Amino acid sequence: MTVLGSMQLLAQSDDTAIGERLNAALAEVEARFSAELISDLPCVNSLVGHVERYRGKMMRPTLVLLSGMACSGSKESLNDSHLVVATVTEMVHMATLVHDDILDEAQVRRGGGTINHLRGNEAAVMLGDYLISHAYHLCSSLDSNSPSRAIAQTTNTVCEGELLQLANRGNADLDERTYFEIIRRKTGSLCGMCCQLGAEFSDATDAVAQCMYQYGENLGIAFQIIDDLLDLIGAEQTVGKTLGKDLQKGKLTLPLIHCLGHSDAKTRQRLIKLLTPNGDNGAGHEQTGNGHDLEQRRAQEVRDLIRGDGSMQYANQWADRLIAQAKAAVGVLEVSPTRELLLAMADAVLTRKF
Amino acid sequence: MTVLGSMQLLAQSDDTAIGERLNAALAEVEARFSAELISDLPCVNSLVGHVERYRGKMMRPTLVLLSGMACSGSKESLNDSHLVVATVTEMVHMATLVHDDILDEAQVRRGGGTINHLRGNEAAVMLGDYLISHAYHLCSSLDSNSPSRAIAQTTNTVCEGELLQLANRGNADLDERTYFEIIRRKTGSLCGMCCQLGAEFSDATDAVAQCMYQYGENLGIAFQIIDDLLDLIGAEQTVGKTLGKDLQKGKLTLPLIHCLGHSDAKTRQRLIKLLTPNGDNGAGHEQTGNGHDLEQRRAQEVRDLIRGDGSMQYANQWADRLIAQAKAAVGVLEVSPTRELLLAMADAVLTRKF
C-alpha cells in the first residue's frame, strides 16, 4: 500500500524527484519497522506477521517526513530522527488498530482477518502491547528524551480520547463538542504531533512547529470525520474493513448527532432505538460473529433515516472547513514542492473512498 | 497494603530508621503514582480509581528503593531518579495486571472486582494502555534516555513472555526449560531491572549493578513459582484473587509439568484431560462467569493427583534454590541494614501465603 499511497501523491506532485525521495524514506521506515519487531521467539515473529495485514496508507509517517522536508529549507532533506519517529508513529498507530479491534470486535480490517478474530482477544491484547512497547523502545534510542516525552504525552491523550468515547457508548445525547473532543484526542493529537516533530527535527522555529501541529491536527480530525462517514455509508469492498461497527457499538458520529438534533420526535425515537441494540453495550460482546445480516439491515435503516435531512452534507462541510484550516496553517511555510504535497495530502482526505 | 508490606519488612529489620525511610519513600511513590494519572476528564479519573483495588505489596518499587539504598554506601540515601523509576515500575506492573485479567478472564483480583468484570474488556484494554502510556511518559521526564530505554527493553521482554505462555496454552508437552523461559521474561526481567536501575542511580559499578539484576531476576522467578503454586493450592480468601485460573486456561506450571513427566500413563492421561477443558482454549471465553463449581471440582481433582507424587515439593525446592542464588548475589554488597532487608525480602517470597 505504501507505493500506492506515494504514487497517489506523486500523481499530484510536479516534482517526481521529491516523490521518489519520499518513497525511499517510506521504504526505509518499513524496513526499520520490521527490524524493530524481530524477536528471538518464533511464536512472536509469527504473530507479528499478522500486523503486515494492517499496513495501510502510512499516513502518519508521511506526515512526519513531508513536514520534515517542508521545514528544512531548499534542500528539503531528512535526518535519522525523522526516520526513527516516522517509524514510531506508525507503530503506535498499529498498536491502536490492534487494540481497537478488541474494542470494536471488528471481524475484518484492511481486507484481512483481524488478530482477535484469528488468534483471540488475548493474543490481540499482547500483540498491541508488544507494538507499543517497541514503539517507545525505538523512540528512546534517540539522543534526546524530548521526542519520547512528546510521543508518550500524545499516547496519554489518545487513550483519553478512546476512554471518553467508551464512556459515551449509546449516549443519544452526545453533543458535538464532546464528539470533537473525542476525535481530536483520538486521531487529531497523533497527526498533529507527527507534523510538529517532523518540523522540530528540521530545526523549525516554535512558531512554525506550532503551525505544523495545527495542520496535522486539523487534517487528522477531518480524516476521522470522513472515516466515520465511510463506516456509515461506505462500501465494505472498497474500504476493506467491516463497516457499520460504530452503529453496532452505539458509537455516535457527526451525521447521527446532527440528525438526532434536527429530526422530528418520531425519527429521533426510531434512531435512538436503532443506536442502542438491546439497550446496553455489554450485549455487543455476545453478539460477535452472529447477527451480521441483522446489523446490515439496521445500518441500512439508519442510512435511510439520515440521508434525507442533510446530515451527511453537514459532516462533509465540517471536514471541508477543517481541511481549509489545515491548508491555511501551511501558509507559514515557504513555497516548495513538499509544501505542495502537504496541501495535496489535505485535499486527498476529502476525496478518499477508502 | 503498602504500610502492611513495609511493616512486614520492618518487623524483620533491626533498624527502624531504615524501615521508616523506606515507608516514607513508598508513600512518595504512591503520591507520584496518583499525580501522574490525573486527567482533565472525569470519566478517566473514575476508571483510574479502580486501579487502587490492584494496589498490592509494592514489591517492584521496594526493589528499586532498597537496591538504591543498599548501593549508596553508608548514607543509604535515595535520589529523585529512584523515586521516578520506582513509580514507573509499579505503573508497568499495574498495566500488566489489568491486561492479564483480560488474558485470564479473572473475576476477582486482590479481593476487588476486576476492571474487565466491572467495566468490560474494552475499558480494561484502554485502562491498561493508559497506565503503560503514563509509565513511559513519567520515565521520559528524567534527564537521561537510558532508563526509558531500559524499561522499554524490559516491557518488550515481558510481552514476549506473555506471548510464549499464550502459544503454549494447553500444551501438555511443555518442558521445564520453556516454562522457566516464560516466567524469566514475564516476571524475572522486570524485577531484575528494578534492582539494576536502583543500583545504577546510586552510581554502582556495572559489576554490582549486574549482581543486583541477578538478585532481582532470581527473586522474581521464585516469586512466580510460588504464585503459580498458590494458584493451584492456595485459599482464595487468603490470596485475595480468583484461583485455579491457570488450570482453567490450560496454563501448565511447574508442579504439573513435573507430575506429567513422572506419573504413570493413566494419571498422565487423566491430567491432560483435566488441563484441556473442551479440548481447546477458545472455549474458555464462553465459559466466563459460569461453570465456577465445575472449575473448582476440576482443580480439586488436579490437586489430589499431584499431591501424591512430590511435585509440589519439587516446585518448592526450585524456589528455595533460586532464593539462595538471589541472596548469594547480594553478597557483593557491603553489610548494611538495607542489605539485610534485601535478604529478608528474598526469604519472605518463600513464606508468603498471599
Side-chain angles (χ1 to χ4, degrees):
Chain A
M1 295 285 285
T2 306
V3 179
L4 170 63
S6 306
M7 289 308 288
Q8 289 171 324
L9 287 174
L10 258 175
Q12 296 154 322
S13 165
D14 306 333
D15 186 330
T16 49
I18 292 293
E20 281 159 15
R21 217 187 306 161
L22 175 64
N23 266 347
L26 285 169
E28 174 64 19
V29 165
E30 287 202 321
R32 293 183 183 214
F33 186 98
S34 304
E36 172 62 34
L37 296 177
I38 292 171
S39 167
D40 62 322
L41 299 175
C43 67
V44 172
N45 294 327
S46 98
L47 192 60
V48 167
H50 288 298
V51 171
E52 296 304 320
R53 315 193 91 150
Y54 286 70
R55 287 299 183 85
K57 296 174 276 297
M58 299 272 284
M59 181 171 81
R60 290 148 192 86
T62 304
L63 288 172
V64 175
L65 300 170
L66 284 180
S67 300
M69 289 163 82
C71 294
S72 64
S74 57
K75 45 188 190 336
E76 302 185 70
S77 62
L78 295 168
N79 56 47
D80 189 66
S81 297
H82 290 110
L83 294 168
V84 167
V85 164
T87 309
V88 167
T89 58
E90 182 68 3
M91 219 170 269
V92 166
H93 175 57
M94 288 289 167
T96 61
L97 288 184
V98 171
H99 280 181
D100 274 350
D101 282 336
I102 298 161
L103 302 187
D104 298 344
E105 297 166 342
Q107 296 300 304
V108 184
R109 165 88 65 181
R110 299 267 159 79
T114 61
I115 309 295
N116 61 330
H117 186 51
L118 294 169
R119 301 286 200 101
N121 265 347
E122 293 150 310
V125 170
M126 291 318 308
L127 178 61
D129 291 349
Y130 183 77
L131 287 166
I132 196 72
S133 176
H134 274 277
Y136 295 120
H137 180 252
L138 181 58
C139 202
S140 60
S141 68
L142 293 169
D143 296 335
S144 162
N145 229 347
S146 67
S148 296
R149 181 83 174 167
I151 291 292
Q153 175 68 63
T154 305
T155 52
N156 290 348
T157 305
V158 170
C159 290
E160 287 176 329
E162 295 272 10
L163 287 166
L164 184 58
Q165 183 169 59
L166 206 55
N168 284 283
R169 280 281 174 80
N171 170 19
D173 299 321
L174 178 67
D175 56 34
E176 272 191 23
R177 218 188 87 283
T178 309
Y179 168 77
F180 277 107
E181 196 53 36
I182 289 168
I183 64 175
R184 181 186 67 77
R185 296 190 195 225
K186 200 182 77 166
T187 311
S189 61
L190 182 56
C191 293
M193 191 51 70
C194 285
C195 299
Q196 182 184 320
L197 288 173
E200 287 174 357
F201 293 142
S202 294
D203 302 320
T205 64
D206 289 354
V208 168
Q210 278 316 304
C211 287
M212 292 312 294
Y213 185 94
Q214 290 308 319
Y215 164 82
E217 185 185 53
N218 285 310
L219 180 145
I221 298 171
F223 181 91
Q224 190 59 59
I225 290 172
I226 300 296
D227 213 54
D228 293 345
L229 266 174
L230 288 172
D231 183 80
L232 198 59
I233 61 165
E236 211 153 294
Q237 297 79 343
T238 323
V239 185
K241 58 181 179 182
T242 307
L243 299 176
K245 284 288 158 189
D246 294 340
L247 287 176
Q248 194 175 342
K249 300 294 282 179
K251 252 195 243 169
L252 265 67
T253 55
L254 195 49
L256 292 165
I257 293 165
H258 180 269
C259 187
L260 284 165
H262 296 73
S263 54
D264 55 73
K266 185 161 159 297
T267 308
R268 182 179 156 82
Q269 283 316 310
R270 181 61 191 156
L271 253 185
I272 290 172
K273 190 149 178 28
L274 288 165
L275 293 172
T276 51
N278 315 314
D280 66 75
N281 311 329
H285 287 282
E286 283 65 52
Q287 282 186 341
T288 319
N290 60 46
H292 182 265
D293 295 351
L294 182 84
E295 287 305 332
Q296 292 307 310
R297 280 199 303 280
R298 201 157 63 86
Q300 190 51 53
E301 186 177 351
V302 172
R303 282 190 209 103
D304 297 342
L305 281 171
I306 64 171
R307 267 231 173 69
D309 77 341
S311 295
M312 305 281 198
Q313 297 84 323
Y314 179 77
N316 274 310
Q317 281 157 13
W318 254 113
D320 292 343
R321 207 174 307 141
L322 289 157
I323 288 301
Q325 288 175 28
K327 292 167 76 173
V330 176
V332 73
L333 300 174
E334 291 163 19
V335 177
S336 77
T338 43
R339 193 185 89 154
E340 289 310 305
L341 282 181
L342 286 168
L343 296 171
M345 214 177 149
D347 289 326
V349 165
L350 298 175
T351 55
R352 76 192 184 99
K353 295 278 170 292
F354 62 90
Chain B
M1 293 287 287
T2 306
V3 180
L4 170 63
S6 305
M7 290 306 290
Q8 288 170 326
L9 287 174
L10 259 175
Q12 295 152 326
S13 167
D14 307 331
D15 186 331
T16 49
I18 292 293
E20 280 159 15
R21 217 187 307 162
L22 176 63
N23 267 347
L26 284 169
E28 174 64 19
V29 166
E30 286 202 322
R32 293 184 183 214
F33 186 98
S34 303
E36 171 63 35
L37 296 177
I38 292 170
S39 168
D40 62 322
L41 298 176
C43 67
V44 172
N45 294 327
S46 100
L47 192 62
V48 167
H50 290 297
V51 172
E52 296 303 321
R53 317 194 90 148
Y54 286 71
R55 285 298 182 85
K57 296 174 277 297
M58 299 273 282
M59 181 171 81
R60 289 148 192 86
T62 305
L63 288 172
V64 175
L65 300 170
L66 285 179
S67 301
M69 290 162 82
C71 293
S72 64
S74 56
K75 42 188 192 335
E76 304 185 69
S77 62
L78 296 168
N79 58 46
D80 189 66
S81 296
H82 290 111
L83 294 168
V84 168
V85 164
T87 310
V88 167
T89 58
E90 183 68 2
M91 220 170 267
V92 166
H93 174 56
M94 288 290 167
T96 61
L97 287 184
V98 171
H99 280 180
D100 274 350
D101 282 336
I102 299 162
L103 302 187
D104 299 342
E105 296 166 344
Q107 296 300 303
V108 184
R109 164 91 64 183
R110 299 271 156 76
T114 60
I115 309 296
N116 61 330
H117 186 51
L118 294 169
R119 300 286 201 100
N121 266 345
E122 293 149 310
V125 170
M126 291 318 309
L127 178 61
D129 291 350
Y130 184 77
L131 287 166
I132 195 72
S133 177
H134 275 276
Y136 294 120
H137 179 253
L138 181 58
C139 201
S140 60
S141 69
L142 294 169
D143 295 336
S144 161
N145 229 346
S146 66
S148 297
R149 181 81 173 168
I151 291 292
Q153 176 67 62
T154 305
T155 52
N156 291 347
T157 304
V158 170
C159 290
E160 287 176 330
E162 294 273 10
L163 288 166
L164 185 57
Q165 183 168 59
L166 206 55
N168 284 283
R169 279 280 176 79
N171 170 20
D173 299 322
L174 179 67
D175 56 34
E176 273 191 21
R177 219 189 85 284
T178 309
Y179 169 77
F180 277 106
E181 195 54 36
I182 290 169
I183 65 175
R184 181 185 68 77
R185 296 190 194 227
K186 200 182 77 167
T187 311
S189 60
L190 182 55
C191 293
M193 190 51 70
C194 286
C195 299
Q196 181 184 321
L197 289 174
E200 287 174 355
F201 293 143
S202 295
D203 301 320
T205 64
D206 290 354
V208 168
Q210 278 316 302
C211 287
M212 292 312 295
Y213 185 94
Q214 291 308 319
Y215 164 82
E217 186 186 54
N218 286 311
L219 180 145
I221 297 171
F223 181 91
Q224 189 61 58
I225 290 173
I226 301 297
D227 213 55
D228 293 346
L229 266 173
L230 287 172
D231 183 80
L232 198 58
I233 61 166
E236 210 154 295
Q237 297 79 342
T238 323
V239 185
K241 57 183 180 181
T242 306
L243 299 175
K245 282 289 158 190
D246 295 340
L247 287 176
Q248 194 174 344
K249 299 296 281 178
K251 254 197 241 169
L252 265 66
T253 56
L254 195 48
L256 293 166
I257 293 165
H258 180 269
C259 186
L260 283 166
H262 295 73
S263 54
D264 55 72
K266 185 162 159 298
T267 309
R268 182 178 155 80
Q269 282 316 309
R270 181 59 191 157
L271 254 185
I272 290 171
K273 191 148 177 32
L274 289 164
L275 294 171
T276 52
N278 314 313
D280 64 73
N281 310 329
H285 288 282
E286 283 66 51
Q287 283 184 343
T288 319
N290 58 47
H292 183 262
D293 297 349
L294 181 84
E295 288 304 332
Q296 293 307 312
R297 281 199 302 280
R298 200 154 65 86
Q300 190 50 54
E301 186 177 350
V302 171
R303 283 191 207 100
D304 298 341
L305 281 172
I306 65 170
R307 266 230 175 69
D309 78 339
S311 295
M312 306 279 199
Q313 296 85 324
Y314 179 77
N316 275 310
Q317 281 157 13
W318 255 114
D320 293 342
R321 206 173 307 142
L322 290 158
I323 289 302
Q325 287 176 27
K327 292 167 76 172
V330 175
V332 73
L333 300 173
E334 291 163 19
V335 177
S336 76
T338 43
R339 193 185 88 154
E340 289 311 304
L341 283 181
L342 286 167
L343 295 170
M345 215 178 148
D347 289 325
V349 166
L350 297 175
T351 54
R352 76 191 183 101
K353 296 279 171 292
F354 62 90

